[in-house]
Structures are given as structure tokens and as C-alpha cells.
């Protein structure tokens, strides 16, 4: 049986991702959450002041790229030959890896424009929903670092 603390923890993890919908079943109980995302704001569920603080922080430090599902981390999709490596510059929405769930590959996407600092998971390693799979260093488009 899920408690309110369990639900609060799930909501806190979801707010740090780009996931817009989640449904959880626990025995005879279930609940569904829909997040309305607006542009580049982290989450419309946060107060405006919290969004501003969080955005300011992300420009100064590395950003965690979270797994969109629980499964095995894969650096490449089986139908493509390309993968990214440490130091690669990625755009917001670019695929930085995949989480394999049964035979389905869920894309792990870059939440911002930045340079891949490192992967937190090794090829084939089991990862949980919302767990860190990579770290990105934010870049401003057109900056000197962007060209490297």
C-alpha cells in the first residue's frame, strides 16, 4: 500500500525529469499524474521563484541526465552505429543513450545544450527510473566552448 510519503517521493523525482505523464499501480490502488511543461521551465508544478533559482543554478554547474525508465543502459540503439562520447557537444533533445526495457529502447535525451562530461552508467548496467545516467556541462549556443 502506497503512503503519502511514497507519493511525495515519486512526485519529487518526476519533477526533475522531462516526463509529462506517469501512472503507478500498487495492488488495488493506482494513481496517475500529468505534468504541464512550459518551454524551458523545469516544471510548471514548481512556484515561479523555485523555477528561477533552479535555472540559475543549472547555468553554473553540471546537469544530471536522468533515466526515463527502469532498465538496462545502452549507449547506442541497435539500428544506429553512432554513439556519443565524453566531451561531445549535444543540443537539447539529442539522444545521449537509451534504456532498454524488454525489447523497447527508451531514448535518454539531453535536457539542455551542453558538453557531455561523463556517463554514470556502464553499457548494460541496470538503472532505475530517474537515476543519473550522465552529466552535462551547460553551454551557451555560439560560445567559444560550443565550437570545440
Amino acid at each position: 500500500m502506497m503512503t503519502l510519503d511514497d507519493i511525495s517521493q515519486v512526485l519529487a523525482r518526476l519533477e526533475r525529469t522531462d516526463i509529462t505523464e506517469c501512472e503507478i499501480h500498487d495492488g488495488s490502488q493506482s494513481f496517475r499524474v500529468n505534468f504541464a511543461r512550459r518551454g524551458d521551465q523545469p516544471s510548471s508544478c514548481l512556484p515561479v521563484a523555485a523555477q528561477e533559482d533552479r535555472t540559475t543554478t543549472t547555468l553554473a554547474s553540471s546537469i544530471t541526465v536522468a533515466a526515463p525508465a527502469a532498465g538496462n543502459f545502452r549507449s547506442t540503439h541497435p539500428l544506429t552505429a553512432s554513439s556519443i562520447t565524453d566531451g561531445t557537444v549535444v543540443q537539447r533533445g539529442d539522444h545521449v543513450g537509451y534504456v532498454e526495457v524488454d525489447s523497447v529502447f527508451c531514448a535518454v535525451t539531453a535536457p539542455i545544450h551542453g558538453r557531455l562530461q561523463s556517463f554514470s552508467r556502464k553499457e548494460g548496467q541496470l538503472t532505475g527510473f530517474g537515476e543519473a545516467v550522465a552529466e552535462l556541462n551547460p553551454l551557451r549556443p555560439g560560445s567559444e566552448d560550443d565550437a570545440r
Side-chain angles (χ1 to χ4, degrees), residues 1-145:
M1 174 183 239
M2 291 194 81
T3 66
L4 289 177
D5 287 336
D6 296 333
I7 294 170
S8 293
Q9 288 177 4
V10 169
L11 291 176
R13 290 184 96 176
L14 287 172
E15 284 180 336
R16 296 187 304 260
T17 70
D18 289 332
I19 293 173
T20 58
E21 187 175 316
C22 178
E23 186 171 342
I24 296 179
H25 299 274
D26 185 22
S28 63
Q29 298 178 328
S30 67
F31 75 96
R32 176 183 220 127
V33 178
N34 290 308
F35 288 96
R37 307 286 187 191
R38 294 184 195 147
D40 293 333
Q41 293 177 341
S43 171
S44 62
C45 296
L46 296 175
V48 173
Q51 291 178 4
E52 290 168 3
D53 292 343
R54 201 159 150 186
T55 302
T56 302
T57 303
T58 60
L59 294 175
S61 62
S62 66
I63 303 297
T64 299
V65 182
N72 296 85
F73 177 74
R74 303 289 181 206
S75 59
T76 59
H77 192 282
L79 299 178
T80 63
S82 64
S83 67
I84 67 168
T85 58
D86 293 355
T88 302
V89 174
V90 295
Q91 301 296 321
R92 181 175 189 219
D94 284 355
H95 295 184
V96 296
Y98 299 87
V99 175
E100 182 182 9
V101 182
D102 292 326
S103 61
V104 176
F105 284 73
C106 301
V108 177
T109 58
I112 60 161
H113 172 72
R115 183 180 307 279
L116 181 67
Q117 180 180 337
S118 64
F119 283 106
S120 308
R121 294 284 186 259
K122 294 180 180 163
E123 184 71 23
Q125 185 176 0
L126 187 62
T127 184
F129 166 78
E131 290 184 347
V133 296
E135 293 290 324
L136 287 177
N137 291 327
L139 294 176
R140 294 188 191 283
S143 70
E144 200 174 288
D145 288 337

